[in-house]
Amino acid sequence: MNAFAIRGTTAAAGAAVLLCGLITAAGPAAAAGTAAAAGTAPAACTPAVELLPGLPGLGGGAVRGFGANGLAVGESGGLPAYWTGAEHTVHAVPLPAGFDRGRVKAVSAKGLMVGMAVRSSDQASVAFTHQLGSAVSQAITAPSPRYGDVAVDVNDSGRVVAMDGDVAKEWVNGTVVRELPVPADAIAGSKVVGVNGINKRGDIVGTVSGSYFDTANDIEVTKTFPVVWPAGGGYAPYSLEVWNGYHDSFATIGRDIDDRGRVVGLERYHYRNDPTRTPAVWKKPYDALPTDPGRVAGYGDLEFDGSSPTTNVAVGTATEFEEAFPSYFQAVHWSGTGAPKVLPAPAGAPDAVPLTRAFAAADDDRVGGSVEDRETRAGGAVLWTCASKQAYTPTR
């Protein structure tokens, strides 16, 4: 059986075995990192790394969001999925009619899930909603003409944001309540290209991109940058500052926004065979350049994908590129201060530096992500509990 054959384990019953696996996989640095990070996790949690049960089908899986009462959401076997209970029982989420693949990206406190679905016949994609317990899901956007990872999110009060074609929209109870404008200071030709997060208050973070030809200087000018739209629409959106702009090799992206308004994301640079990923953090009042919390030892690049609502945690992936391709990558946990650290792989991972990613963080110190086998690419969804007590500085 493949080392990543999907299995389920309770945190309580498997903690001792899993912790042995963690120390074996991560080495002495993990234990040191555990002690250094102690004190930020809830006292009642038990450190564990679990490869969650999976649905049959092609593809691995990932945890991409957290809800109430231990609910986790994401994808498994190419299908939108969620996990419940101490055993992390896996459930398939019904897809909108006519669609056959997808993922859940987030869930509200009352069980309203949002995700994206793909139709294999023409690779069209839509954003959809699904209420926990319902037998159906509802597409909320028109089908995009080609496959794309449709940006969509939901906050605890059930406000949904997504891209509907080239228009960024916000829904309440299934009804569009506003369209998100391009900031007045954006360059010519700018449009919203993604809405990646909405916090409890209703502030939304997304990405705007524009391009035009400067005839005076005979160059193409391009700028891709994050934007925050304040809750309610009564205030103008904020254009977040970037380190580098005005060239299509650079794109700066806001991936998530927490309840305090802190935005996390990355600056992406790609020119020929020289990619870089630089982590970026913006704080209100959004009047300064982003800060860079640094890299993980042994990795040249890092990007943030998610953040906890109130505990200042950010998670993502550290990457080492070789000839423009990621040769190594590992899930990252950042407490909001100090240097980012990595999270251990589930017990049984075959590589000294396994292929893991982190996408979501909860206030109760859970982190969700994925793991892959380097050779076969088989893998599945991963859940870290007491993540801050497991984060460590690698020695590679």
Side-chain angles (χ1 to χ4, degrees):
M1 180 176 291
N2 187 282
F4 289 106
I6 306 299
R7 64 190 184 275
T9 312
T10 65
V17 174
L18 287 166
L19 283 173
C20 290
L22 300 184
I23 295 172
T24 301
T34 295
T40 60
C45 69
T46 301
V49 188
E50 302 183 67
L51 184 61
L52 301 187
L55 297 169
L58 298 175
V63 171
R64 296 185 181 272
F66 294 108
N69 302 315
L71 180 71
V73 299
E75 75 262 16
S76 180
L79 299 172
Y82 65 97
W83 293 264
T84 57
E87 295 289 339
H88 304 304
T89 303
V90 63
H91 311 266
V93 172
L95 285 156
F99 291 81
D100 50 16
R101 291 179 288 143
R103 63 178 53 149
V104 180
K105 290 194 166 187
V107 60
S108 75
K110 295 183 178 179
L112 179 64
M113 301 181 195
V114 297
M116 59 88 67
V118 179
R119 187 167 57 201
S120 293
S121 61
D122 61 358
Q123 300 302 304
S125 55
V126 295
F128 72 88
T129 60
H130 172 75
Q131 181 60 50
L132 182 64
S134 173
V136 298
S137 294
Q138 179 67 48
I140 61 171
T141 62
S144 295
R146 63 185 183 277
Y147 173 77
D149 189 12
V150 180
V152 59
D153 197 18
V154 62
N155 70 1
D156 277 346
S157 65
R159 289 183 173 269
V160 175
V161 291
M163 292 299 300
D164 190 0
D166 291 332
V167 182
K169 298 179 180 179
E170 180 180 0
W171 289 258
V172 176
N173 297 325
T175 300
V176 176
V177 295
R178 66 166 166 158
E179 296 182 359
L180 305 179
V182 172
D185 59 356
I187 67 172
S190 291
K191 62 182 180 179
V192 183
V193 295
V195 280
N196 298 322
I198 179 170
N199 64 13
K200 183 176 181 179
R201 182 174 177 267
D203 303 317
I204 300 164
V205 64
T207 304
V208 166
S209 185
S211 182
Y212 70 95
F213 188 76
D214 182 352
T215 55
N217 295 293
D218 196 31
I219 58 171
E220 187 76 18
V221 177
T222 300
K223 186 178 182 182
T224 302
F225 60 98
V227 173
V228 170
W229 292 270
Y235 297 91
Y238 296 94
S239 297
L240 274 57
E241 296 193 32
V242 300
W243 294 303
N244 298 287
Y246 307 107
H247 192 281
D248 61 5
S249 294
F250 293 97
T252 308
I253 301 163
R255 288 270 178 78
D256 201 14
I257 184 168
D258 69 13
D259 289 351
R260 299 170 184 170
R262 185 190 66 165
V263 172
V264 299
L266 74 151
E267 178 191 79
R268 183 175 62 210
Y269 170 81
H270 202 115
Y271 183 72
R272 296 180 179 175
N273 290 331
D274 185 28
T276 62
R277 304 289 185 268
T278 304
V281 180
W282 296 261
K283 294 182 180 180
K284 296 176 73 173
Y286 311 126
D287 58 353
L289 287 169
T291 58
D292 174 359
R295 307 297 174 276
V296 172
Y299 292 91
D301 298 84
L302 191 156
E303 60 189 272
F304 287 134
D305 282 291
S307 57
S308 61
T310 66
T311 56
N312 216 35
V313 169
V315 297
T317 304
T319 304
E320 188 67 19
F321 287 99
E322 291 183 2
E323 297 183 353
F325 295 98
S327 57
Y328 297 97
F329 51 86
Q330 193 164 359
V332 166
H333 179 283
W334 183 53
S335 67
T337 60
K341 299 179 179 181
V342 296
L343 293 169
D351 293 302
V353 184
L355 305 182
T356 57
R357 301 181 189 273
F359 300 113
D363 282 343
D364 62 5
D365 210 22
R366 287 178 297 163
V367 170
S370 64
V371 65
E372 297 178 12
D373 181 279
R374 187 177 305 278
E375 299 298 327
T376 67
R377 297 296 177 176
V382 177
L383 178 65
W384 289 268
T385 55
C386 260
S388 65
K389 292 186 178 180
Q390 301 185 58
Y392 67 96
T393 300
T395 56
R396 67 175 291 272

